[in-house]
Amino acid sequence: MTVLTQLLARWNSLPAAARVVAGAAASVAVVVSIAAAILAHPSRVSLFAAPLHPEQLSEAEDRLASWNVTFIPTADNVVVDAGRRNDLLLRLSLAGVPHPHLSSTGEALATIGVLTPQAVVEAQTRAGLAGDIEAGLRGIDGVDDARVIVAPAKAPEFADESAHDASASVRLRLRAGAHLSREAIDGIRAFVAASVPELQAAHVTILDDRGVALGDGGAPGGDAEELQASLQSALDAALGDGATIVRVRAEYAGERTSERVVRRTPAGAQEIAGTRRSESYDGGGKRYRRLEEGEDRGSETHELVSEAQAGALKRLSTAVFVDQSRALDLAKVRELAAATVGYDARRGDMLAVEAVDFRRVPTLRRDRWWLLYGAIAPLAPALIFTLGLVICVRLAMPPLAAFLQSSIERAAVERASKAAAGFAPARVRSMLEQEPPHAAAAIISALPAATATAVLELYPPHEREAIVRRMQRRHSPVIDDAQELLRRHV
């Protein structure tokens, strides 16, 4: 309280004009500080032009947090710095974030009323079901987005029409560098088939973002790539890197096939069936008689029905190139390759293992002089520049030193001339006592004629003659005399 009282007393002791000026200055300082804080604080805007759904908002927040971007979440949008809005929108667009909103079954059926036509109800139901399936497929590893189209089963309405089974088409957009195994594709097909009533897995078509059917005969990759990578890694680990080259090609069945085999075996030791024939002729009575009897003793029937779905593995072709210089046992390499890829001769698989001469580019040997050249060549420009700089400095040093010395002498003469201009001749003579003849000549030449004559009279004859000779020496037209220099600078 004592300090506050003292401050108030000092404030009240100030003149009224001083207090007004101080108050105005304080107010201006506060206003300027507030304005500077507002200008320094970056303005913030909403990142997206339209409101987001909860799953889209969560996806955008996760991606911004992974990029260490400062943002403020709201109920349906994200607030960021205005200066970074365009950059963030571009980065999110390149990353495919956020994904389009998927209408679930609940959202699709929320707009249906009592008077809604049945066709609209069915269409909304299919749309909601497709949205639920797409949302489930987005969670699979390697799948970035999915699009599902469901065609329901249709019963024939007229006699000349045929029934249509339910079917579904799935288009997958994979992440960069992602690859779905055959098991994953079969799992997606089973997932979609189980999600739609009366839909069989055989009626589900899966495409990638290039339009190539996955898991069918049109996709020759899949298992072939995995088998090739597996066999190559096994051979590299066993025989060393660069010893073998592996190529695997898989062929898949393009259509569904069915085979039915029926076998019957006799129930006992005798044959399954037998037939007896007898003929007789009576000439007197003019009669002809023929008797045929058949007997079936019973049998056991075995029926085998096998079906192959479209896209089943039809044939596997494997080629292994072995480096001839390694002198490896081709029989062992063949056994290892057959066990790795699952070779099956009954299926028509092919496995070829051959030793070939791997072409290699000869490596040129470099001697020590070549290595020295390789070490000096990158430094040659810098060495040449440094050498040229040293030569230029060496050549410029004598003229530069002479110029500096002349400048120092002229500065000393100017200072001495200014100091001696207002003194008596005797005082000037005492000031020039320790100066050499050329310095004394330069200073005396800058003095008025009367003062210069009086100063010269004070010198002994031999020193005066040396100074006069210096003063009478012809000057180069390039460099002005001392009096002219003094006249310019005074």
Side-chain angles (χ1 to χ4, degrees), residues 278-297:
S278 63
E279 297 180 1
S280 62
Y281 175 71
D282 184 3
K286 303 295 183 181
R287 291 182 302 178
Y288 173 78
R289 182 180 180 184
R290 180 180 179 182
L291 179 63
E292 183 175 349
E293 297 178 352
E295 182 181 6
D296 191 343
R297 303 181 181 91

Side-chain angles (χ1 to χ4, degrees), residues 234-419:
L235 294 178
D236 290 343
L239 308 178
D241 294 339
T244 58
I245 300 175
V246 177
R247 293 294 181 268
V248 178
R249 182 176 180 272
E251 299 180 14
Y252 299 96
E255 58 185 8
R256 180 179 178 181
T257 59
S258 176
E259 182 180 2
R260 181 177 181 182
V261 179
V262 178
R263 293 181 180 179
R264 297 179 61 191
T265 59
Q270 298 179 355
E271 296 180 354
I272 297 176
T275 303
R276 292 180 297 177
R277 295 185 181 91
S278 63
E279 297 180 1
S280 62
Y281 175 71
D282 184 3
K286 303 295 183 181
R287 291 182 302 178
Y288 173 78
R289 182 180 180 184
R290 180 180 179 182
L291 179 63
E292 183 175 349
E293 297 178 352
E295 182 181 6
D296 191 343
R297 303 181 181 91
S299 63
E300 296 180 358
T301 304
H302 299 275
E303 182 176 358
L304 177 61
V305 179
S306 60
E307 295 183 358
Q309 300 291 339
L313 184 60
K314 181 179 179 181
R315 186 182 297 108
L316 194 65
S317 301
T318 307
V320 181
F321 305 87
V322 182
D323 188 2
Q324 189 175 4
S325 62
R326 302 290 184 98
L328 300 175
D329 190 350
L330 299 184
K332 293 183 178 180
V333 175
R334 180 182 177 85
E335 294 177 1
L336 177 62
T340 303
V341 301
Y343 174 75
D344 188 358
R346 295 175 300 177
R347 190 173 52 192
D349 293 354
M350 295 182 61
L351 176 60
V353 179
E354 296 292 340
V356 296
D357 185 13
F358 287 6
R359 185 179 299 274
R360 296 182 176 87
V361 179
T363 304
L364 299 178
R365 298 185 62 183
R366 306 296 186 183
D367 53 11
R368 56 185 180 180
W369 297 108
W370 178 263
L371 296 177
L372 181 62
Y373 169 77
I376 295 177
L379 302 177
L383 295 176
I384 294 174
F385 175 77
T386 305
L387 182 61
L389 183 62
V390 171
I391 294 175
C392 293
V393 172
R394 185 66 180 272
L395 295 177
M397 281 300 295
L400 184 61
F403 175 76
L404 293 177
Q405 184 177 2
S406 175
S407 300
I408 294 173
E409 291 180 355
R410 289 179 182 179
V413 169
E414 183 179 356
R415 290 195 301 270
S417 300
K418 290 182 179 180

Side-chain angles (χ1 to χ4, degrees), residues 72-343:
I72 300 176
T74 60
D76 56 2
N77 213 319
V78 177
V79 178
V80 297
D81 295 342
R84 301 195 59 185
R85 181 174 183 269
N86 294 334
D87 178 47
L88 292 176
L89 286 176
L90 178 60
R91 294 181 64 183
L92 290 174
S93 177
L94 294 176
V97 175
H99 288 88
H101 172 65
L102 300 176
S103 298
S104 61
T105 303
E107 295 179 4
L109 299 180
T111 58
I112 295 178
V114 179
L115 301 179
T116 304
Q118 184 62 29
V120 177
V121 174
E122 294 177 356
Q124 291 291 90
T125 303
R126 289 196 302 271
L129 180 59
D132 294 337
I133 297 174
E134 293 169 2
L137 294 179
R138 282 182 180 178
I140 297 177
D141 186 18
V143 177
D144 185 59
D145 200 359
R147 183 77 174 93
V148 178
I149 301 175
V150 178
K154 182 180 180 182
E157 297 180 0
F158 301 97
D160 57 347
E161 290 184 353
S162 60
H164 296 281
D165 296 333
S167 62
S169 299
V170 181
R171 181 178 177 180
L172 301 178
R173 187 175 69 186
L174 304 180
R175 295 189 179 94
H179 170 72
L180 294 180
S181 63
R182 192 169 185 83
E183 290 77 7
I185 297 173
D186 293 340
I188 293 175
R189 180 176 285 107
F191 172 76
V192 176
S195 302
V196 180
E198 301 180 2
L199 177 60
Q200 299 179 3
H203 296 162
V204 178
T205 303
I206 303 177
L207 305 178
D208 62 1
D209 49 0
R210 301 170 299 170
V212 178
L214 300 179
D216 294 337
D223 290 346
E225 296 179 0
E226 297 178 2
L227 292 175
Q228 178 175 311
S230 176
L231 179 57
Q232 186 68 69
S233 61
L235 294 178
D236 290 343
L239 308 178
D241 294 339
T244 58
I245 300 175
V246 177
R247 293 294 181 268
V248 178
R249 182 176 180 272
E251 299 180 14
Y252 299 96
E255 58 185 8
R256 180 179 178 181
T257 59
S258 176
E259 182 180 2
R260 181 177 181 182
V261 179
V262 178
R263 293 181 180 179
R264 297 179 61 191
T265 59
Q270 298 179 355
E271 296 180 354
I272 297 176
T275 303
R276 292 180 297 177
R277 295 185 181 91
S278 63
E279 297 180 1
S280 62
Y281 175 71
D282 184 3
K286 303 295 183 181
R287 291 182 302 178
Y288 173 78
R289 182 180 180 184
R290 180 180 179 182
L291 179 63
E292 183 175 349
E293 297 178 352
E295 182 181 6
D296 191 343
R297 303 181 181 91
S299 63
E300 296 180 358
T301 304
H302 299 275
E303 182 176 358
L304 177 61
V305 179
S306 60
E307 295 183 358
Q309 300 291 339
L313 184 60
K314 181 179 179 181
R315 186 182 297 108
L316 194 65
S317 301
T318 307
V320 181
F321 305 87
V322 182
D323 188 2
Q324 189 175 4
S325 62
R326 302 290 184 98
L328 300 175
D329 190 350
L330 299 184
K332 293 183 178 180
V333 175
R334 180 182 177 85
E335 294 177 1
L336 177 62
T340 303
V341 301
Y343 174 75

